[in-house]
PDB file of all heavy atoms in Angstrom:
ATOM      1  N   PHE S   1      60.986 125.702  87.845  1.00 95.00           N
ATOM      2  CA  PHE S   1      61.814 125.024  86.854  1.00 95.00           C
ATOM      3  C   PHE S   1      61.303 123.619  86.550  1.00 95.00           C
ATOM      4  O   PHE S   1      61.002 122.849  87.460  1.00 95.00           O
ATOM      5  CB  PHE S   1      63.256 124.931  87.342  1.00 95.00           C
ATOM      6  CG  PHE S   1      63.947 126.253  87.427  1.00 95.00           C
ATOM      7  CD1 PHE S   1      63.803 127.056  88.554  1.00 95.00           C
ATOM      8  CD2 PHE S   1      64.739 126.712  86.393  1.00 95.00           C
ATOM      9  CE1 PHE S   1      64.431 128.276  88.650  1.00 95.00           C
ATOM     10  CE2 PHE S   1      65.378 127.930  86.474  1.00 95.00           C
ATOM     11  CZ  PHE S   1      65.211 128.729  87.597  1.00 95.00           C
ATOM     12  N   ALA S   2      61.224 123.299  85.261  1.00 92.00           N
ATOM     13  CA  ALA S   2      61.012 121.923  84.808  1.00 92.00           C
ATOM     14  C   ALA S   2      62.408 121.337  84.594  1.00 92.00           C
ATOM     15  O   ALA S   2      63.059 121.624  83.585  1.00 92.00           O
ATOM     16  CB  ALA S   2      60.204 121.895  83.525  1.00 92.00           C
ATOM     17  N   ASP S   3      62.876 120.544  85.539  1.00 95.00           N
ATOM     18  CA  ASP S   3      64.271 120.124  85.554  1.00 95.00           C
ATOM     19  C   ASP S   3      64.390 118.638  85.228  1.00 95.00           C
ATOM     20  O   ASP S   3      63.397 117.925  85.076  1.00 95.00           O
ATOM     21  CB  ASP S   3      64.872 120.424  86.933  1.00 95.00           C
ATOM     22  CG  ASP S   3      66.357 120.732  86.878  1.00 95.00           C
ATOM     23  OD1 ASP S   3      67.030 120.281  85.941  1.00 95.00           O
ATOM     24  OD2 ASP S   3      66.840 121.429  87.792  1.00 95.00           O
ATOM     25  N   TYR S   4      65.631 118.169  85.155  1.00 94.00           N
ATOM     26  CA  TYR S   4      65.924 116.775  84.847  1.00 94.00           C
ATOM     27  C   TYR S   4      65.978 115.914  86.106  1.00 94.00           C
ATOM     28  O   TYR S   4      66.214 114.708  86.021  1.00 94.00           O
ATOM     29  CB  TYR S   4      67.270 116.672  84.116  1.00 94.00           C
ATOM     30  CG  TYR S   4      67.391 117.604  82.948  1.00 94.00           C
ATOM     31  CD1 TYR S   4      68.140 118.774  83.047  1.00 94.00           C
ATOM     32  CD2 TYR S   4      66.749 117.334  81.740  1.00 94.00           C
ATOM     33  CE1 TYR S   4      68.239 119.651  81.977  1.00 94.00           C
ATOM     34  CE2 TYR S   4      66.857 118.203  80.662  1.00 94.00           C
ATOM     35  CZ  TYR S   4      67.598 119.355  80.785  1.00 94.00           C
ATOM     36  OH  TYR S   4      67.697 120.225  79.725  1.00 94.00           O
ATOM     37  N   CYS S   5      65.808 116.525  87.269  1.00 96.00           N
ATOM     38  CA  CYS S   5      65.885 115.831  88.541  1.00 96.00           C
ATOM     39  C   CYS S   5      65.084 116.626  89.561  1.00 96.00           C
ATOM     40  O   CYS S   5      64.766 117.793  89.330  1.00 96.00           O
ATOM     41  CB  CYS S   5      67.342 115.716  89.004  1.00 96.00           C
ATOM     42  SG  CYS S   5      68.112 117.327  89.280  1.00 96.00           S
ATOM     43  N   PRO S   6      64.724 116.025  90.693  1.00 97.00           N
ATOM     44  CA  PRO S   6      64.033 116.792  91.733  1.00 97.00           C
ATOM     45  C   PRO S   6      64.976 117.785  92.396  1.00 97.00           C
ATOM     46  O   PRO S   6      66.126 117.461  92.703  1.00 97.00           O
ATOM     47  CB  PRO S   6      63.577 115.710  92.723  1.00 97.00           C
ATOM     48  CG  PRO S   6      64.496 114.561  92.493  1.00 97.00           C
ATOM     49  CD  PRO S   6      64.872 114.596  91.050  1.00 97.00           C
ATOM     50  N   ASN S   7      64.489 119.003  92.587  1.00 98.00           N
ATOM     51  CA  ASN S   7      65.261 120.026  93.285  1.00 98.00           C
ATOM     52  C   ASN S   7      64.811 120.114  94.731  1.00 98.00           C
ATOM     53  O   ASN S   7      63.624 119.995  95.035  1.00 98.00           O
ATOM     54  CB  ASN S   7      65.088 121.382  92.603  1.00 98.00           C
ATOM     55  CG  ASN S   7      65.860 121.471  91.306  1.00 98.00           C
ATOM     56  OD1 ASN S   7      67.085 121.418  91.289  1.00 98.00           O
ATOM     57  ND2 ASN S   7      65.137 121.595  90.198  1.00 98.00           N
ATOM     58  N   GLY S   8      65.769 120.323  95.628  1.00 98.00           N
ATOM     59  CA  GLY S   8      65.467 120.392  97.047  1.00 98.00           C
ATOM     60  C   GLY S   8      65.884 119.110  97.749  1.00 98.00           C
ATOM     61  O   GLY S   8      66.897 118.489  97.410  1.00 98.00           O
ATOM     62  N   LEU S   9      65.088 118.700  98.727  1.00 98.00           N
ATOM     63  CA  LEU S   9      65.426 117.518  99.522  1.00 98.00           C
ATOM     64  C   LEU S   9      65.276 116.250  98.687  1.00 98.00           C
ATOM     65  O   LEU S   9      64.211 115.968  98.147  1.00 98.00           O
ATOM     66  CB  LEU S   9      64.510 117.439 100.745  1.00 98.00           C
ATOM     67  CG  LEU S   9      64.781 116.301 101.726  1.00 98.00           C
ATOM     68  CD1 LEU S   9      66.159 116.445 102.375  1.00 98.00           C
ATOM     69  CD2 LEU S   9      63.683 116.252 102.785  1.00 98.00           C
ATOM     70  N   GLN S  10      66.347 115.459  98.603  1.00 98.00           N
ATOM     71  CA  GLN S  10      66.319 114.199  97.864  1.00 98.00           C
ATOM     72  C   GLN S  10      66.400 112.990  98.789  1.00 98.00           C
ATOM     73  O   GLN S  10      65.825 111.946  98.483  1.00 98.00           O
ATOM     74  CB  GLN S  10      67.466 114.154  96.844  1.00 98.00           C
ATOM     75  CG  GLN S  10      67.297 115.148  95.702  1.00 98.00           C
ATOM     76  CD  GLN S  10      68.291 114.911  94.582  1.00 98.00           C
ATOM     77  OE1 GLN S  10      69.315 114.249  94.751  1.00 98.00           O
ATOM     78  NE2 GLN S  10      67.999 115.458  93.417  1.00 98.00           N
ATOM     79  N   VAL S  11      67.120 113.099  99.880  1.00 98.00           N
ATOM     80  CA  VAL S  11      67.196 112.035 100.885  1.00 98.00           C
ATOM     81  C   VAL S  11      67.022 112.699 102.251  1.00 98.00           C
ATOM     82  O   VAL S  11      67.762 113.612 102.600  1.00 98.00           O
ATOM     83  CB  VAL S  11      68.539 111.278 100.830  1.00 98.00           C
ATOM     84  CG1 VAL S  11      68.594 110.221 101.933  1.00 98.00           C
ATOM     85  CG2 VAL S  11      68.747 110.638  99.464  1.00 98.00           C
ATOM     86  N   GLN S  12      66.032 112.219 103.001  1.00 98.00           N
ATOM     87  CA  GLN S  12      65.724 112.841 104.292  1.00 98.00           C
ATOM     88  C   GLN S  12      66.648 112.331 105.388  1.00 98.00           C
ATOM     89  O   GLN S  12      66.888 111.129 105.521  1.00 98.00           O
ATOM     90  CB  GLN S  12      64.275 112.558 104.682  1.00 98.00           C
ATOM     91  CG  GLN S  12      63.816 113.274 105.938  1.00 98.00           C
ATOM     92  CD  GLN S  12      62.337 113.073 106.193  1.00 98.00           C
ATOM     93  OE1 GLN S  12      61.631 112.456 105.408  1.00 98.00           O
ATOM     94  NE2 GLN S  12      61.865 113.586 107.320  1.00 98.00           N
ATOM     95  N   GLY S  13      67.173 113.276 106.168  1.00 98.00           N
ATOM     96  CA  GLY S  13      68.010 112.939 107.308  1.00 98.00           C
ATOM     97  C   GLY S  13      67.458 113.543 108.583  1.00 98.00           C
ATOM     98  O   GLY S  13      66.246 113.514 108.821  1.00 98.00           O
ATOM     99  N   GLY S  14      68.314 114.114 109.390  1.00 98.00           N
ATOM    100  CA  GLY S  14      67.904 114.661 110.675  1.00 98.00           C
ATOM    101  C   GLY S  14      67.040 115.902 110.555  1.00 98.00           C
ATOM    102  O   GLY S  14      67.012 116.575 109.516  1.00 98.00           O
ATOM    103  N   GLU S  15      66.359 116.229 111.646  1.00 98.00           N
ATOM    104  CA  GLU S  15      65.411 117.342 111.652  1.00 98.00           C
ATOM    105  C   GLU S  15      66.072 118.682 111.959  1.00 98.00           C
ATOM    106  O   GLU S  15      65.412 119.725 111.855  1.00 98.00           O
ATOM    107  CB  GLU S  15      64.305 117.074 112.679  1.00 98.00           C
ATOM    108  CG  GLU S  15      63.454 115.860 112.340  1.00 98.00           C
ATOM    109  CD  GLU S  15      62.361 115.616 113.362  1.00 98.00           C
ATOM    110  OE1 GLU S  15      62.343 116.325 114.397  1.00 98.00           O
ATOM    111  OE2 GLU S  15      61.525 114.724 113.117  1.00 98.00           O
ATOM    112  N   ARG S  16      67.332 118.679 112.359  1.00 98.00           N
ATOM    113  CA  ARG S  16      68.043 119.913 112.672  1.00 98.00           C
ATOM    114  C   ARG S  16      69.385 119.923 111.939  1.00 98.00           C
ATOM    115  O   ARG S  16      70.005 118.877 111.732  1.00 98.00           O
ATOM    116  CB  ARG S  16      68.285 120.036 114.177  1.00 98.00           C
ATOM    117  CG  ARG S  16      67.029 119.960 115.025  1.00 98.00           C
ATOM    118  CD  ARG S  16      66.255 121.254 115.040  1.00 98.00           C
ATOM    119  NE  ARG S  16      66.918 122.263 115.861  1.00 98.00           N
ATOM    120  CZ  ARG S  16      66.505 123.529 115.943  1.00 98.00           C
ATOM    121  NH1 ARG S  16      65.471 123.940 115.247  1.00 98.00           N
ATOM    122  NH2 ARG S  16      67.143 124.381 116.733  1.00 98.00           N
ATOM    123  N   VAL S  17      69.820 121.125 111.546  1.00 98.00           N
ATOM    124  CA  VAL S  17      71.070 121.274 110.802  1.00 98.00           C
ATOM    125  C   VAL S  17      71.997 122.220 111.560  1.00 98.00           C
ATOM    126  O   VAL S  17      71.632 123.367 111.838  1.00 98.00           O
ATOM    127  CB  VAL S  17      70.819 121.827 109.384  1.00 98.00           C
ATOM    128  CG1 VAL S  17      72.148 122.084 108.669  1.00 98.00           C
ATOM    129  CG2 VAL S  17      69.963 120.854 108.577  1.00 98.00           C
ATOM    130  N   ARG S  18      73.175 121.712 111.879  1.00 98.00           N
ATOM    131  CA  ARG S  18      74.223 122.528 112.489  1.00 98.00           C
ATOM    132  C   ARG S  18      75.379 122.732 111.533  1.00 98.00           C
ATOM    133  O   ARG S  18      76.004 123.780 111.524  1.00 98.00           O
ATOM    134  CB  ARG S  18      74.727 121.859 113.780  1.00 98.00           C
ATOM    135  CG  ARG S  18      75.877 122.578 114.470  1.00 98.00           C
ATOM    136  CD  ARG S  18      76.213 121.918 115.805  1.00 98.00           C
ATOM    137  NE  ARG S  18      76.536 120.504 115.647  1.00 98.00           N
ATOM    138  CZ  ARG S  18      77.771 120.044 115.425  1.00 98.00           C
ATOM    139  NH1 ARG S  18      78.791 120.878 115.347  1.00 98.00           N
ATOM    140  NH2 ARG S  18      77.991 118.742 115.303  1.00 98.00           N
ATOM    141  N   ARG S  19      75.650 121.695 110.708  1.00 98.00           N
ATOM    142  CA  ARG S  19      76.811 121.754 109.814  1.00 98.00           C
ATOM    143  C   ARG S  19      76.412 121.293 108.412  1.00 98.00           C
ATOM    144  O   ARG S  19      75.854 120.209 108.237  1.00 98.00           O
ATOM    145  CB  ARG S  19      77.940 120.879 110.353  1.00 98.00           C
ATOM    146  CG  ARG S  19      79.194 120.882 109.489  1.00 98.00           C
ATOM    147  CD  ARG S  19      80.296 120.056 110.120  1.00 98.00           C
ATOM    148  NE  ARG S  19      80.718 120.643 111.403  1.00 98.00           N
ATOM    149  CZ  ARG S  19      80.809 119.956 112.531  1.00 98.00           C
ATOM    150  NH1 ARG S  19      80.499 118.673 112.560  1.00 98.00           N
ATOM    151  NH2 ARG S  19      81.212 120.553 113.641  1.00 98.00           N
ATOM    152  N   ILE S  20      76.718 122.122 107.427  1.00 98.00           N
ATOM    153  CA  ILE S  20      76.508 121.799 106.015  1.00 98.00           C
ATOM    154  C   ILE S  20      77.853 121.487 105.377  1.00 98.00           C
ATOM    155  O   ILE S  20      78.836 122.207 105.584  1.00 98.00           O
ATOM    156  CB  ILE S  20      75.859 122.977 105.266  1.00 98.00           C
ATOM    157  CG1 ILE S  20      74.442 123.240 105.773  1.00 98.00           C
ATOM    158  CG2 ILE S  20      75.834 122.726 103.759  1.00 98.00           C
ATOM    159  CD1 ILE S  20      73.800 124.490 105.177  1.00 98.00           C
ATOM    160  N   VAL S  21      77.893 120.425 104.591  1.00 99.00           N
ATOM    161  CA  VAL S  21      79.000 120.186 103.664  1.00 99.00           C
ATOM    162  C   VAL S  21      78.447 120.352 102.266  1.00 99.00           C
ATOM    163  O   VAL S  21      77.374 119.831 101.938  1.00 99.00           O
ATOM    164  CB  VAL S  21      79.613 118.784 103.846  1.00 99.00           C
ATOM    165  CG1 VAL S  21      80.442 118.388 102.621  1.00 99.00           C
ATOM    166  CG2 VAL S  21      80.487 118.745 105.092  1.00 99.00           C
ATOM    167  N   SER S  22      79.136 121.109 101.424  1.00 98.00           N
ATOM    168  CA  SER S  22      78.711 121.280 100.039  1.00 98.00           C
ATOM    169  C   SER S  22      79.767 120.748  99.093  1.00 98.00           C
ATOM    170  O   SER S  22      80.950 120.649  99.445  1.00 98.00           O
ATOM    171  CB  SER S  22      78.427 122.759  99.729  1.00 98.00           C
ATOM    172  OG  SER S  22      79.624 123.530  99.795  1.00 98.00           O
ATOM    173  N   GLY S  23      79.332 120.392  97.901  1.00 98.00           N
ATOM    174  CA  GLY S  23      80.214 119.900  96.857  1.00 98.00           C
ATOM    175  C   GLY S  23      79.460 119.839  95.555  1.00 98.00           C
ATOM    176  O   GLY S  23      78.234 120.027  95.519  1.00 98.00           O
ATOM    177  N   VAL S  24      80.154 119.557  94.474  1.00 98.00           N
ATOM    178  CA  VAL S  24      79.525 119.597  93.154  1.00 98.00           C
ATOM    179  C   VAL S  24      78.606 118.404  92.941  1.00 98.00           C
ATOM    180  O   VAL S  24      77.440 118.559  92.547  1.00 98.00           O
ATOM    181  CB  VAL S  24      80.590 119.665  92.043  1.00 98.00           C
ATOM    182  CG1 VAL S  24      79.926 119.655  90.663  1.00 98.00           C
ATOM    183  CG2 VAL S  24      81.459 120.912  92.204  1.00 98.00           C
ATOM    184  N   THR S  25      79.085 117.203  93.199  1.00 98.00           N
ATOM    185  CA  THR S  25      78.353 115.978  92.862  1.00 98.00           C
ATOM    186  C   THR S  25      78.315 115.039  94.062  1.00 98.00           C
ATOM    187  O   THR S  25      79.333 114.835  94.727  1.00 98.00           O
ATOM    188  CB  THR S  25      79.034 115.263  91.676  1.00 98.00           C
ATOM    189  OG1 THR S  25      79.022 116.134  90.544  1.00 98.00           O
ATOM    190  CG2 THR S  25      78.313 113.967  91.319  1.00 98.00           C
ATOM    191  N   ALA S  26      77.158 114.441  94.300  1.00 98.00           N
ATOM    192  CA  ALA S  26      76.981 113.549  95.451  1.00 98.00           C
ATOM    193  C   ALA S  26      77.555 112.161  95.163  1.00 98.00           C
ATOM    194  O   ALA S  26      76.862 111.144  95.219  1.00 98.00           O
ATOM    195  CB  ALA S  26      75.508 113.453  95.825  1.00 98.00           C
ATOM    196  N   SER S  27      78.843 112.129  94.855  1.00 98.00           N
ATOM    197  CA  SER S  27      79.552 110.870  94.641  1.00 98.00           C
ATOM    198  C   SER S  27      79.771 110.179  95.980  1.00 98.00           C
ATOM    199  O   SER S  27      79.572 110.764  97.043  1.00 98.00           O
ATOM    200  CB  SER S  27      80.901 111.143  93.987  1.00 98.00           C
ATOM    201  OG  SER S  27      81.700 111.934  94.862  1.00 98.00           O
ATOM    202  N   GLN S  28      80.208 108.911  95.930  1.00 98.00           N
ATOM    203  CA  GLN S  28      80.515 108.208  97.169  1.00 98.00           C
ATOM    204  C   GLN S  28      81.627 108.906  97.933  1.00 98.00           C
ATOM    205  O   GLN S  28      81.598 108.991  99.169  1.00 98.00           O
ATOM    206  CB  GLN S  28      80.919 106.756  96.875  1.00 98.00           C
ATOM    207  CG  GLN S  28      81.087 105.903  98.122  1.00 98.00           C
ATOM    208  CD  GLN S  28      79.763 105.646  98.832  1.00 98.00           C
ATOM    209  OE1 GLN S  28      78.847 105.102  98.245  1.00 98.00           O
ATOM    210  NE2 GLN S  28      79.668 106.049 100.103  1.00 98.00           N
ATOM    211  N   ALA S  29      82.601 109.439  97.215  1.00 98.00           N
ATOM    212  CA  ALA S  29      83.706 110.133  97.871  1.00 98.00           C
ATOM    213  C   ALA S  29      83.213 111.355  98.642  1.00 98.00           C
ATOM    214  O   ALA S  29      83.684 111.626  99.757  1.00 98.00           O
ATOM    215  CB  ALA S  29      84.763 110.547  96.845  1.00 98.00           C
ATOM    216  N   LEU S  30      82.270 112.106  98.057  1.00 98.00           N
ATOM    217  CA  LEU S  30      81.748 113.271  98.764  1.00 98.00           C
ATOM    218  C   LEU S  30      80.857 112.854  99.926  1.00 98.00           C
ATOM    219  O   LEU S  30      80.901 113.468 101.003  1.00 98.00           O
ATOM    220  CB  LEU S  30      80.980 114.183  97.810  1.00 98.00           C
ATOM    221  CG  LEU S  30      80.472 115.487  98.431  1.00 98.00           C
ATOM    222  CD1 LEU S  30      81.618 116.322  98.988  1.00 98.00           C
ATOM    223  CD2 LEU S  30      79.661 116.288  97.423  1.00 98.00           C
ATOM    224  N   VAL S  31      80.067 111.809  99.745  1.00 98.00           N
ATOM    225  CA  VAL S  31      79.251 111.294 100.845  1.00 98.00           C
ATOM    226  C   VAL S  31      80.154 110.880 102.010  1.00 98.00           C
ATOM    227  O   VAL S  31      79.899 111.223 103.171  1.00 98.00           O
ATOM    228  CB  VAL S  31      78.376 110.117 100.387  1.00 98.00           C
ATOM    229  CG1 VAL S  31      77.719 109.419 101.576  1.00 98.00           C
ATOM    230  CG2 VAL S  31      77.311 110.598  99.398  1.00 98.00           C
ATOM    231  N   ASP S  32      81.231 110.160 101.717  1.00 98.00           N
ATOM    232  CA  ASP S  32      82.161 109.725 102.763  1.00 98.00           C
ATOM    233  C   ASP S  32      82.805 110.931 103.453  1.00 98.00           C
ATOM    234  O   ASP S  32      83.004 110.920 104.689  1.00 98.00           O
ATOM    235  CB  ASP S  32      83.248 108.832 102.165  1.00 98.00           C
ATOM    236  CG  ASP S  32      82.697 107.485 101.694  1.00 98.00           C
ATOM    237  OD1 ASP S  32      81.580 107.119 102.105  1.00 98.00           O
ATOM    238  OD2 ASP S  32      83.395 106.817 100.900  1.00 98.00           O
ATOM    239  N   ALA S  33      83.134 111.969 102.684  1.00 98.00           N
ATOM    240  CA  ALA S  33      83.735 113.167 103.264  1.00 98.00           C
ATOM    241  C   ALA S  33      82.742 113.887 104.175  1.00 98.00           C
ATOM    242  O   ALA S  33      83.116 114.414 105.227  1.00 98.00           O
ATOM    243  CB  ALA S  33      84.220 114.104 102.159  1.00 98.00           C
ATOM    244  N   ALA S  34      81.466 113.909 103.771  1.00 98.00           N
ATOM    245  CA  ALA S  34      80.432 114.529 104.600  1.00 98.00           C
ATOM    246  C   ALA S  34      80.250 113.763 105.910  1.00 98.00           C
ATOM    247  O   ALA S  34      80.058 114.360 106.974  1.00 98.00           O
ATOM    248  CB  ALA S  34      79.117 114.602 103.829  1.00 98.00           C
ATOM    249  N   ILE S  35      80.315 112.448 105.831  1.00 98.00           N
ATOM    250  CA  ILE S  35      80.225 111.625 107.045  1.00 98.00           C
ATOM    251  C   ILE S  35      81.397 111.922 107.971  1.00 98.00           C
ATOM    252  O   ILE S  35      81.229 112.117 109.187  1.00 98.00           O
ATOM    253  CB  ILE S  35      80.188 110.127 106.674  1.00 98.00           C
ATOM    254  CG1 ILE S  35      78.883 109.796 105.940  1.00 98.00           C
ATOM    255  CG2 ILE S  35      80.358 109.256 107.913  1.00 98.00           C
ATOM    256  CD1 ILE S  35      78.872 108.413 105.290  1.00 98.00           C
ATOM    257  N   ALA S  36      82.612 111.978 107.403  1.00 98.00           N
ATOM    258  CA  ALA S  36      83.807 112.256 108.204  1.00 98.00           C
ATOM    259  C   ALA S  36      83.738 113.638 108.854  1.00 98.00           C
ATOM    260  O   ALA S  36      84.248 113.833 109.961  1.00 98.00           O
ATOM    261  CB  ALA S  36      85.052 112.139 107.333  1.00 98.00           C
ATOM    262  N   ALA S  37      83.102 114.580 108.167  1.00 98.00           N
ATOM    263  CA  ALA S  37      82.976 115.946 108.693  1.00 98.00           C
ATOM    264  C   ALA S  37      81.799 116.089 109.652  1.00 98.00           C
ATOM    265  O   ALA S  37      81.567 117.181 110.161  1.00 98.00           O
ATOM    266  CB  ALA S  37      82.827 116.931 107.542  1.00 98.00           C
ATOM    267  N   GLN S  38      81.067 115.004 109.864  1.00 98.00           N
ATOM    268  CA  GLN S  38      79.898 115.000 110.754  1.00 98.00           C
ATOM    269  C   GLN S  38      78.845 116.030 110.300  1.00 98.00           C
ATOM    270  O   GLN S  38      78.275 116.771 111.094  1.00 98.00           O
ATOM    271  CB  GLN S  38      80.311 115.246 112.200  1.00 98.00           C
ATOM    272  CG  GLN S  38      81.224 114.161 112.753  1.00 98.00           C
ATOM    273  CD  GLN S  38      81.575 114.377 114.216  1.00 98.00           C
ATOM    274  OE1 GLN S  38      81.805 115.494 114.660  1.00 98.00           O
ATOM    275  NE2 GLN S  38      81.599 113.282 114.981  1.00 98.00           N
TER     276      GLN S  38
END
């Protein structure tokens, strides 16, 4: 796809994943909710 943004990893975090939080838009509110959900 020739897209309007990069697809895939946009900000690198930890090397292992145990818990995913998903949502429509990476707003501050969703970022804060992901932090609260660890």
Side-chain angles (χ1 to χ4, degrees):
F1 292 84
D3 210 335
Y4 310 103
C5 62
N7 285 296
L9 183 64
Q10 292 191 342
V11 178
Q12 186 174 356
E15 296 180 354
R16 304 281 286 174
V17 175
R18 177 174 57 90
R19 180 177 296 129
I20 294 174
V21 162
S22 66
V24 178
T25 299
S27 63
Q28 187 68 58
L30 184 59
V31 170
D32 291 343
I35 293 169
Q38 297 183 321

